[in-house]
Amino acid sequence: SVNQRQRHSVTEFRLNGTVKRPGVRIRERREALKITRENLAKQIGLKYSTLADWENDRMARSAKADMRKLAEVLETSIDWILH
């Protein structure tokens, strides 16, 4: 379930002991799931360059709607990505 995946992700984050920016979390989660940036961008309906911007912490506030789909594909929550 999503709650179990979210809990697992939060546990991993806390074990690391460092605060990671959202872009780093997105990239690391994508890589852990063995999803290419190009494939993830297609799955959530974004341009490759937009996803690259997100992974480099250049995220527009208007991205919130796309974040739901991103969290779903990465099997986590929006809160985990952003905080």
Side-chain angles (χ1 to χ4, degrees):
S1 78
V2 172
N3 286 337
Q4 289 173 333
R5 286 187 297 257
Q6 179 183 350
R7 233 179 290 129
H8 178 69
S9 298
V10 170
T11 302
E12 289 176 350
F13 175 69
R14 288 185 183 153
L15 286 175
N16 187 324
T18 60
V19 176
K20 296 181 182 178
R21 295 180 325 273
V24 172
R25 289 187 215 163
I26 292 168
R27 187 190 77 245
E28 288 180 354
R29 185 67 181 151
R30 174 181 60 74
E31 290 172 350
L33 294 171
K34 299 184 183 344
I35 301 172
T36 65
R37 188 183 282 169
E38 182 178 16
N39 193 1
L40 179 58
K42 286 179 184 177
Q43 287 184 55
I44 60 178
L46 293 177
K47 292 180 182 177
Y48 177 93
S49 60
T50 300
L51 182 57
D53 284 345
W54 287 13
E55 289 188 357
N56 289 298
D57 291 313
R58 294 185 301 263
M59 192 176 303
R61 292 193 185 272
S62 62
K64 190 78 166 187
D66 295 322
M67 292 295 288
R68 275 189 229 107
K69 184 66 177 170
L70 175 67
E72 180 183 311
V73 173
L74 295 181
E75 301 174 356
T76 191
S77 70
I78 294 172
D79 283 342
W80 180 83
I81 292 170
L82 297 178
H83 300 100

